[in-house]
Amino acid sequence: MSIKGLFPIDKWDFKSESIFADLRPDDFELLTAHKSEHVYKKNDILFREGTYPSGIFFINKGKVKKYKVDKDGKEQIIYLANTAQLIGYHAVLSGDRYPDSAAVMEESVITFIPKEDFLKTLDQSPALNNRLLKTLSHEFAVLANSLTMFAQKTVRERLALQLIVIREKHKVDSIEGAPVEINISREDLASLVGTARENVIRILTEFKEKGILETKGRKIIVKDINTLIKIANHK
Amino acid sequence: MSIKGLFPIDKWDFKSESIFADLRPDDFELLTAHKSEHVYKKNDILFREGTYPSGIFFINKGKVKKYKVDKDGKEQIIYLANTAQLIGYHAVLSGDRYPDSAAVMEESVITFIPKEDFLKTLDQSPALNNRLLKTLSHEFAVLANSLTMFAQKTVRERLALQLIVIREKHKVDSIEGAPVEINISREDLASLVGTARENVIRILTEFKEKGILETKGRKIIVKDINTLIKIANHK
DNA sequence: CTTGAAAAGTGACTTTTTTCAATTCTAAAA
DNA sequence: TTTTAGAATTGAAAAAAGTCACTTTTCAAG
């Protein structure tokens, strides 16, 4: 296997950030009783919008996009999830179908936990309940923020903002000290920003000319984060 | 008092839709121990983005908008809440500040419940926990949908969609059989759709010319909901 | 009734974004 | 190394949305 620096389920971070932070050992035992681990290739689909969930997914190592597809097949990315994040639990909790799809953006190792185990653990663990309520409320606030951004910011501002956010996320998986290389297709970037691919390219070119960033093949390296922040906040 | 058709807290709907549906009588007792009821005038503010929450609000009768304000003072409405809905609980759950503000859109009767009572009830009621997790997950899906709409639909399509949604919400408070009168300022409508007031007015004029709707003073009456649906889905 | 302030509406113009039709580049397979 | 399909890029033109300055309407207080 070509993947280095795994985040194995047996060593999940029990510190504050994790959604399973307050889980007692026996609850954790119950939760992971029937876990299974898989290596997914780029573009593999974890789940599809409109289907019923069978469980939740934990990203041991990799990148996953959550997205919706409209009638014309145009894709809108809602969220980028990275190493050590949990996805697909909203639908399990709501008891409804998946509201969006999830696909792997690069080779990734992902642990699957059947929904029965997740729900059973939830039943016996008030700590997990509290943590989930907190997480969901927080996620809601973040999404409300995104909504405002989409409604009020120009494409240029949104792109600047997304570059900042993605760069921050990429930091988790990149080598300390080295410049952070943003590795994302122009198509996905456009889908995240909510515009056409051509538009993204034009603005990236402008940023390049201004020395804000450099490209190395398809990769983007931010050179001047401060100007990027200014652009994102302008207006 | 000029308000008719109240939805008093003592008669909260215990049926499936309510967030307090599964609450046992003694939990309900604890929850409402220190409730207080107020009549708010149009434009009164319930809470402001960035402040810490002191409790939750139940709309006995009326209309409330949740919104965010950007650096230029431009307002973005996130959600319209109506009679029998609960608002302001996200911040209480996340333990953080309010992510948005809430203001009353017309004279409204609202019950306030201190956060201590809400959290205490939450502690002793697994039913309320489950219900909230379900509600939050669902709300998340709805918001994700809004986000996609903002990212992919034109202003015209978004306006058509919002008119349909607002009309549906107004049904709750209007007389059975009578045509539903949508009562919202062009400014608020623009803020909801995420565009300039002038744009909204132009599109409304177009819809009027095509016989899709009529206006009665400031009120909007939808005449041809099917065409509106077609416009909202076009593309 | 008046009437004045706030809200709604109009028109001309600018800027932003989309669309379409090429062309060039890149990375992985042969 | 060569090949080649998919991705990235560019240019030009059209469409959508935003802005500004101004007029008209509405509604409620006097």
Side-chain angles (χ1 to χ4, degrees):
Chain A
M1 194 172 61
S2 68
I3 294 187
K4 301 235 172 65
L6 271 185
F7 202 89
I9 194 159
D10 313 286
K11 292 183 183 169
W12 277 356
D13 187 0
F14 272 32
K15 312 272 163 51
S16 56
E17 329 78 34
S18 165
I19 213 165
F20 299 115
D22 323 312
L23 228 56
R24 290 176 312 159
D26 54 328
D27 290 337
F28 187 72
E29 199 64 43
L30 177 61
L31 181 71
T32 56
H34 306 97
K35 72 181 167 70
S36 62
E37 205 171 288
H38 278 286
V39 178
Y40 290 86
K41 288 193 301 293
K42 186 175 175 176
N43 296 327
D44 279 354
I45 289 175
L46 292 181
F47 52 81
R48 256 181 236 278
E49 178 177 355
T51 62
Y52 281 99
S54 54
I56 60 174
F57 300 83
F58 181 83
I59 308 171
N60 297 65
K61 165 83 185 172
K63 288 187 177 56
V64 173
K65 62 180 173 185
K66 289 182 62 181
Y67 61 97
K68 286 174 85 84
V69 180
D70 75 2
K71 278 167 286 299
D72 308 322
K74 200 179 163 191
E75 186 181 299
Q76 175 62 41
I77 296 181
I78 308 284
Y79 186 73
L80 294 183
N82 287 314
T83 301
Q85 288 196 284
L86 187 70
I87 60 168
Y89 60 96
H90 294 89
V92 173
L93 288 175
S94 74
D96 217 333
R97 298 159 199 248
Y98 284 118
D100 45 31
S101 307
V104 170
M105 296 174 74
E106 59 180 38
E107 198 183 38
S108 300
V109 183
I110 290 167
T111 298
F112 173 80
I113 293 173
K115 70 163 190 276
E116 291 75 17
D117 292 346
F118 177 60
L119 291 172
K120 252 189 263 170
T121 311
L122 192 64
D123 255 353
Q124 71 171 48
S125 169
L128 183 55
N129 261 281
N130 283 337
R131 175 63 62 166
L132 277 174
L133 280 176
K134 216 173 246 186
T135 303
L136 276 166
S137 302
H138 177 71
E139 282 184 5
F140 190 87
V142 171
L143 200 56
N145 219 44
S146 292
L147 187 82
T148 307
M149 187 194 78
F150 266 104
Q152 300 197 333
K153 286 187 181 292
T154 63
V155 171
R156 190 163 171 272
E157 288 160 358
R158 263 144 54 199
L159 178 57
L161 191 52
Q162 286 295 353
L163 285 174
I164 297 165
V165 172
I166 298 173
R167 183 172 170 274
E168 210 54 43
K169 291 194 176 188
H170 273 53
K171 268 189 186 170
V172 178
D173 286 324
S174 71
I175 305 124
E176 180 86 25
V180 185
E181 294 187 346
I182 297 174
N183 191 4
I184 188 171
S185 76
R186 303 301 179 260
E187 195 70 50
D188 275 350
L189 199 47
S191 163
L192 197 59
V193 171
T195 188
R197 196 183 58 245
E198 293 94 324
N199 235 322
V200 164
I201 290 166
R202 277 186 197 108
I203 299 166
L204 284 180
T205 305
E206 181 213 321
F207 287 174
K208 229 180 338 187
E209 283 164 357
K210 287 187 174 156
I212 296 169
L213 49 84
E214 280 175 12
T215 53
K216 205 166 112 184
R218 284 165 182 176
K219 285 166 190 153
I220 298 165
I221 300 156
V222 175
K223 287 288 168 185
D224 181 358
I225 187 89
N226 290 323
T227 303
L228 217 47
I229 292 170
K230 254 182 233 153
I231 292 171
N233 287 323
H234 163 272
K235 208 187 180 176
Chain B
M1 193 174 61
S2 68
I3 294 187
K4 301 234 173 65
L6 271 186
F7 203 89
I9 194 159
D10 313 286
K11 292 182 184 170
W12 276 357
D13 188 0
F14 271 33
K15 310 274 163 51
S16 56
E17 327 80 33
S18 165
I19 213 165
F20 298 115
D22 323 312
L23 228 57
R24 289 176 314 160
D26 55 327
D27 290 338
F28 187 72
E29 200 64 42
L30 176 61
L31 180 72
T32 57
H34 307 97
K35 72 182 167 73
S36 63
E37 204 172 290
H38 278 287
V39 179
Y40 290 86
K41 287 193 302 292
K42 187 175 172 175
N43 295 327
D44 280 353
I45 288 174
L46 293 181
F47 52 81
R48 254 181 238 278
E49 179 176 354
T51 63
Y52 281 100
S54 54
I56 60 174
F57 299 84
F58 181 83
I59 308 171
N60 297 66
K61 164 81 185 173
K63 287 187 178 57
V64 173
K65 62 179 174 186
K66 289 183 63 183
Y67 61 98
K68 286 175 87 83
V69 180
D70 75 4
K71 279 167 284 299
D72 307 322
K74 201 179 163 192
E75 187 181 299
Q76 175 62 41
I77 296 181
I78 309 284
Y79 186 72
L80 295 183
N82 287 313
T83 301
Q85 289 196 285
L86 188 71
I87 60 168
Y89 60 96
H90 294 89
V92 173
L93 288 176
S94 74
D96 217 333
R97 297 161 200 247
Y98 284 119
D100 46 31
S101 307
V104 170
M105 296 175 75
E106 59 180 40
E107 198 182 39
S108 300
V109 183
I110 290 166
T111 298
F112 173 81
I113 293 173
K115 70 162 190 277
E116 291 76 18
D117 292 346
F118 177 60
L119 290 173
K120 251 189 266 171
T121 311
L122 192 63
D123 255 352
Q124 71 171 48
S125 169
L128 183 56
N129 261 281
N130 284 336
R131 175 63 62 165
L132 277 174
L133 280 177
K134 216 174 247 187
T135 304
L136 277 166
S137 302
H138 177 72
E139 281 184 6
F140 189 88
V142 171
L143 199 58
N145 219 44
S146 291
L147 186 82
T148 307
M149 187 193 79
F150 265 104
Q152 300 198 331
K153 285 187 183 289
T154 64
V155 171
R156 191 161 169 273
E157 289 161 357
R158 263 143 55 200
L159 178 56
L161 191 52
Q162 286 294 353
L163 286 173
I164 297 165
V165 172
I166 298 172
R167 183 171 170 275
E168 210 54 43
K169 290 195 178 187
H170 273 52
K171 268 189 185 169
V172 178
D173 285 326
S174 71
I175 306 124
E176 179 89 23
V180 186
E181 293 186 346
I182 297 174
N183 191 4
I184 188 172
S185 76
R186 302 302 178 262
E187 195 71 50
D188 276 349
L189 200 48
S191 163
L192 197 59
V193 170
T195 187
R197 197 186 60 244
E198 293 94 324
N199 235 323
V200 164
I201 290 166
R202 275 185 199 108
I203 299 167
L204 284 180
T205 304
E206 182 213 318
F207 286 174
K208 226 175 348 183
E209 281 165 357
K210 288 187 174 157
I212 296 169
L213 49 83
E214 280 175 10
T215 52
K216 205 166 110 183
R218 282 163 185 180
K219 287 166 189 152
I220 298 166
I221 300 155
V222 176
K223 286 290 168 184
D224 182 358
I225 187 89
N226 290 323
T227 303
L228 217 47
I229 292 171
K230 254 182 234 153
I231 292 171
N233 288 324
H234 162 273
K235 203 183 185 181

